Amino acid sequence: MLLHGKRRTAIALTASIGALALVLTGCSNSGGSTTADGKVALSFLTDNAPANVSLAEGLAKDFNASQDKITVKVETRPGGSDGDNIIKTRLATGEMTDIFLYNSGSLFQAIAPEKNLVDFTNESFADNVMDSMKPVVSVKDKLYGVPVGGAFAGAILYNKKVYKDLGLTVPLTWDQYNANNDKIKAAGKTAIIQTYKDTWTSQLDVLGDFANVLASDPDWATKYTENKAKYATDPVAMAGFEHLQEGFDKGYYNKDFGSATNTDGLRILATGEGVHYPMLTSAAASIIADYPDAAQDIGVFATPGDDPAGSALTTWFPNGLYVPAASKNVDAAKEFIAFAASTKGCDSETKAIGVTGPYLIKGCDLPADVPAYVGDLLPYFNKDGGTQPALEFLSPIKGPSLEQITVAVGSGITSAAEGAKQYDADVKKQAQQLGLSGW
Amino acid sequence: MHAVRKSWLGIVAIIISIFVFLVPFSFIILTAMKGKNEAGFLSFSWPTEFHLWDNIVEVIQTRNFMLVTALINSTVLTVASVAIMVLLAAMVAFVLQRRASKWNGLINFLVLSGLIIPPAVVPTIWVLQGLGLFKTLGGLILVEAAFGLSFCILLFRAFISTIPREVDEAAIIDGAGSIRLFFQVVFPLLRSVIITVIVVQSVAVFNDFTNPLYFLPGDENATVQLTLFNFQSQFDTSWNLLFTNILLITIPPLVMFIFFNRQIVAGMSSGAVKG
């Protein structure tokens, strides 16, 4: 009996240790860089926005079909600050995928490209990248990324059908815009949609107004970085905050603006209950996906300012594709990048998600049948000076609390002047953290 | 009079538990049955069209059946790391409680610092890389076990202090060695606290999001909580699919609970009386 008990314990112990060892070793296949059929296997990390996942999978599929030496496999990561942390952690530990998709501009600058990324300056495909895109994926004249997807804008999405029904015309100045708002309000519809449950959506009035700031002073961004220009003291820059307050004061906003989500906002716009929505134009793609009937009803115009000839469009550059220096398959990864930065790459992107904006690869033309909102964007892009980059591409400073401040201004809690002052203070902390001179 | 008040309390408790547990759960089920646009309203309403089956199929098929891989990974992760925690924590706690030595102070300090000092991501990855365990399920199992161990040791220690020393002494007099003393005499007596630890830590490990996110990258390594991010992104969320996914990954723990309900409740309450 005793012996029996002892042996049983021993067997149980051995078994559990064995099971543990199995678990510990059995799963440690590190995923070698070649697959069974002798192809080089590349991993490709994208964020989990449905459009970017489809884009990445479309590119990978077409690239895999175009040659027989390399296979690309897509992985996803969360977006937002979790995603930023993942990118930084994986780069710091040398565990980044062979190719990854990430923001261009200030977020790109924050991942230490010179240390972490492969330099594309002397590759043949570097010439395919449009000159306007190059600064936002370069550090000191060295190119580290190629654009993926179309450019987009921070502007005002509007419902064309309601405009037609009410006999309105696209406003060129802020006063005309307000006149339209009054008519829409009188017709019993929501003039301006605001959705503060997703706090980031509240910033568009300020960020999308930046082209007007640049129109009044082309060097504003440089002065801003050098601590010489301020939102609170420059009346043109403060206009964005004032617009938010004005919308609240005049009762243009939807009743549930405090608890509405971005999804709600897009629905209200698509159904025509609301008419104006200051938003990123990339959001219009999800209206088209969710409300195909409304696809041709959604239009865009630039955030109006004071110029009677109309304002320029504040644009955002698309994400970049990068290759980490720690990748074991740099040459194969470059072949994929070359594919993405060619007209074949844009065609593949168009096939995967449709056209969301102009491409920044040379020679990439848009098909004739683009969605209505893209059709509205093109005249701005085709005109000299019709577009201006957003502030985040010209200055490394973007205060982390802007969205909280704009929510407070748009909800009538803080005045525009007070909000602008708070944002200047918020920005100061960040500039000091970045170690900029003059702060 | 007394009985009336008691039943009153019971009714209030039932109503509260309905609000706390059943209402959210029925909201999950209702949203999981809706189409994308309707689910976007996030309203507590009966669906106009039923898409439950379509949603389930789509969720399971998303990204090459990632959910299936994730369920397997999460099960292995939870079972293995909780097994390690229970076994090691019980052993450590037994020795700490029964054998006083000059090291006890230091060991107690280390156990407590495991609770207090937050884990750092990059150094941990560096250690895992050095051991060749990074990006392996085994590595994550060890990470989870390490993070949960301190708490378990404290629970076990407190419980072992209530077991009379005479039990050990009787076993030793009967000729039990130290291994047998632990596994055949003490360990079975720990039943109630073992169940507590299993329940608490299984929930913690199964629901863990950040550790798998950082220590186990890669689609083939996904755990269930990471699959939620297939449907929820910064700008666009498919609420119907998100809630269907939540429903699907809630079922395994729920089934477990239904099956082991009796043991769990019995274990916990016997622990309560003894402790």
Side-chain angles (χ1 to χ4, degrees):
Chain A
M1 180 59 204
L2 272 181
L3 196 87
H4 178 69
K6 199 171 207 166
R7 186 185 292 152
R8 208 172 55 181
T9 316
I11 291 171
L13 257 178
T14 327
S16 51
I17 290 171
L20 246 180
L22 247 177
V23 168
L24 292 181
T25 55
C27 307
S28 58
N29 59 327
S30 54
S33 57
T34 43
T35 52
D37 47 357
K39 288 184 179 181
V40 181
L42 294 182
S43 47
F44 175 10
L45 188 69
T46 171
D47 70 297
N48 61 357
N52 285 342
V53 175
S54 314
L55 190 71
E57 285 185 333
L59 273 175
K61 197 173 132 232
D62 290 344
F63 176 71
N64 292 344
S66 74
Q67 42 75 48
D68 53 7
K69 279 182 262 149
I70 306 167
T71 40
V72 175
K73 200 166 161 276
V74 176
E75 290 176 17
T76 59
R77 61 167 172 89
S81 54
D82 264 333
D84 298 340
N85 287 339
I86 293 228
I87 296 277
K88 282 174 193 162
T89 316
R90 291 186 71 167
L91 282 172
T93 52
E95 295 288 347
M96 185 42 97
T97 53
D98 298 306
I99 305 147
F100 67 101
L101 178 150
Y102 193 51
N103 298 56
S104 52
S106 54
L107 283 173
F108 156 77
Q109 301 288 349
I111 57 171
E114 288 163 298
K115 194 174 117 219
N116 289 326
L117 302 182
V118 172
D119 180 4
F120 295 154
T121 319
N122 299 320
E123 303 295 330
S124 56
F125 58 79
D127 295 333
N128 294 351
V129 180
M130 282 198 190
D131 290 338
S132 59
M133 178 76 194
K134 278 184 178 165
V136 302
V137 283
S138 298
V139 179
K140 293 182 191 136
D141 294 335
K142 286 199 170 161
L143 183 76
Y144 292 96
V146 300
V148 61
F152 51 100
I156 294 175
L157 295 179
Y158 72 105
N159 190 310
K160 291 186 166 196
K161 195 156 158 275
V162 178
Y163 255 58
K164 210 171 132 200
D165 292 346
L166 298 179
L168 301 174
T169 51
V170 172
L172 295 174
T173 65
W174 192 259
D175 294 335
Q176 291 174 15
Y177 178 58
N178 271 346
N180 282 357
N181 283 332
D182 285 333
K183 282 181 204 155
I184 295 163
K185 199 183 162 203
K189 289 181 181 288
T190 298
I192 302 177
I193 303 165
Q194 293 286 294
T195 49
Y196 294 164
K197 173 83 188 298
D198 292 324
T199 45
W200 65 269
T201 62
S202 66
Q203 312 169 78
L204 266 297
D205 259 327
V206 173
L207 298 180
D209 191 49
F210 186 64
N212 294 320
V213 179
L214 274 188
S216 81
D217 182 357
D219 292 328
W220 201 86
T222 324
K223 288 183 189 160
Y224 183 64
T225 314
E226 290 167 354
N227 196 15
K228 287 175 190 153
K230 295 265 164 216
Y231 274 100
T233 52
D234 184 336
V236 183
M238 200 160 78
F241 289 95
E242 281 166 355
H243 293 165
L244 264 176
Q245 192 193 344
E246 196 180 353
F248 175 80
D249 290 343
K250 293 190 175 169
Y252 290 153
Y253 298 158
N254 40 318
K255 277 199 206 81
D256 58 347
F257 69 88
S259 62
T261 62
N262 186 222
T263 319
D264 291 331
L266 296 172
R267 185 192 66 240
I268 297 171
L269 180 69
T271 54
E273 291 162 51
V275 186
H276 295 127
Y277 191 15
M279 192 43 357
L280 292 172
T281 55
S282 47
S286 63
I287 298 188
I288 293 175
D290 295 348
Y291 301 91
D293 296 343
Q296 293 305 319
D297 295 341
I298 307 300
V300 182
F301 56 83
T303 310
D306 297 328
D307 187 350
S311 299
L313 188 71
T314 311
T315 52
W316 268 256
F317 289 99
N319 291 318
L321 289 179
Y322 313 96
V323 175
S327 164
K328 293 180 190 76
N329 303 307
V330 172
D331 289 329
K334 276 181 186 167
E335 281 191 42
F336 178 78
I337 299 287
F339 174 83
S342 68
T343 48
K344 278 187 219 149
C346 325
D347 292 344
S348 159
E349 289 169 18
T350 307
K351 204 168 77 189
I353 57 165
V355 180
T356 55
Y359 291 112
L360 290 166
I361 302 284
K362 283 178 193 158
C364 282
D365 295 321
L366 296 183
D369 54 335
V370 294
Y373 79 94
V374 179
D376 285 352
L377 288 177
L378 292 180
Y380 291 103
F381 280 93
N382 294 336
K383 197 171 89 182
D384 255 350
T387 60
Q388 295 284 6
L391 180 57
E392 65 191 80
F393 298 107
L394 300 176
S395 168
I397 321 173
K398 163 125 195 314
S401 312
L402 177 60
E403 48 196 273
Q404 282 77 20
I405 295 169
T406 45
V407 163
V409 174
S411 312
I413 299 167
T414 310
S415 72
E418 184 61 28
K421 217 179 278 169
Q422 284 175 2
Y423 185 54
D424 285 335
D426 183 39
V427 155
K428 187 177 170 193
K429 285 175 235 155
Q430 209 219 4
Q432 284 170 342
Q433 275 174 14
L434 290 173
L436 299 175
S437 58
W439 290 81
Chain B
M1 185 66 192
H2 192 66
V4 172
R5 204 166 75 210
K6 239 183 176 171
S7 65
W8 237 100
L9 274 176
I11 291 168
V12 171
I14 288 172
I15 292 174
I16 291 176
S17 63
I18 283 176
F19 269 98
V20 173
F21 298 107
L22 289 186
V23 170
F25 195 69
S26 52
F27 182 71
I28 293 175
I29 295 174
L30 285 176
T31 315
M33 290 194 287
K34 293 175 180 174
K36 188 180 175 190
N37 290 344
E38 199 184 350
F41 282 94
L42 288 180
S43 61
F44 197 85
S45 61
W46 195 248
T48 50
E49 294 168 71
F50 286 86
H51 293 282
L52 183 60
W53 182 246
D54 303 340
N55 288 343
I56 290 177
V57 170
E58 189 171 349
V59 164
I60 292 178
Q61 284 179 343
T62 301
R63 305 201 42 71
N64 284 327
F65 298 92
M66 189 170 167
L67 186 62
V68 180
T69 327
L71 276 173
I72 296 171
N73 283 342
S74 276
T75 312
V76 174
L77 173 69
T78 311
V79 171
S81 59
V82 172
I84 294 176
M85 275 187 249
V86 167
L87 197 64
L88 290 188
M91 287 174 161
V92 171
F94 181 61
V95 174
L96 268 183
Q97 183 60 39
R98 285 293 196 256
R99 185 181 297 169
S101 81
K102 58 181 176 176
W103 295 105
N104 274 19
L106 177 71
I107 295 169
N108 276 329
F109 171 75
L110 289 178
V111 169
L112 276 181
S113 54
L115 272 184
I116 296 164
I117 300 174
V121 173
V122 173
T124 312
I125 292 180
W126 182 74
V127 170
L128 288 172
Q129 280 174 327
L131 296 170
L133 287 173
F134 187 56
K135 283 203 248 183
T136 67
L137 202 50
L140 184 62
I141 289 171
L142 293 181
V143 168
E144 295 284 5
F147 289 163
L149 206 52
S150 297
F151 181 66
C152 299
I153 291 174
L154 292 183
L155 276 184
F156 275 113
R157 252 198 86 176
F159 190 82
I160 290 174
S161 71
T162 66
I163 300 176
R165 210 175 259 272
E166 287 74 18
V167 175
D168 304 19
E169 283 161 1
I172 292 170
I173 288 170
D174 280 351
S178 40
I179 301 271
R180 170 172 292 181
L181 169 62
F182 178 73
F183 280 104
Q184 287 196 309
V185 178
V186 178
F187 204 64
L189 287 174
L190 298 178
R191 196 183 123 105
S192 60
V193 72
I194 287 173
I195 288 171
T196 311
V197 165
I198 289 178
V199 171
V200 171
Q201 295 296 345
S202 301
V203 171
V205 173
F206 193 80
N207 287 343
D208 192 10
F209 172 72
T210 41
N211 289 327
L213 182 68
Y214 289 113
F215 298 125
L216 201 57
D219 273 8
E220 75 278 9
N221 291 329
T223 62
V224 288
Q225 303 304 324
L226 296 182
T227 60
L228 296 178
F229 269 70
N230 283 335
F231 310 107
Q232 183 183 28
S233 65
Q234 201 176 3
F235 301 136
D236 190 8
T237 297
S238 306
W239 294 104
N240 55 334
L241 300 180
L242 184 65
F243 278 93
T244 311
N245 198 345
I246 291 173
L247 188 67
L248 289 180
I249 66 176
T250 315
I251 288 174
L254 205 65
V255 170
M256 282 272 293
F257 186 81
I258 291 168
F259 271 105
F260 294 106
N261 194 4
R262 221 161 49 108
Q263 280 90 333
I264 291 170
V265 173
M268 285 195 170
S269 54
S270 74
V273 173
K274 262 186 208 155

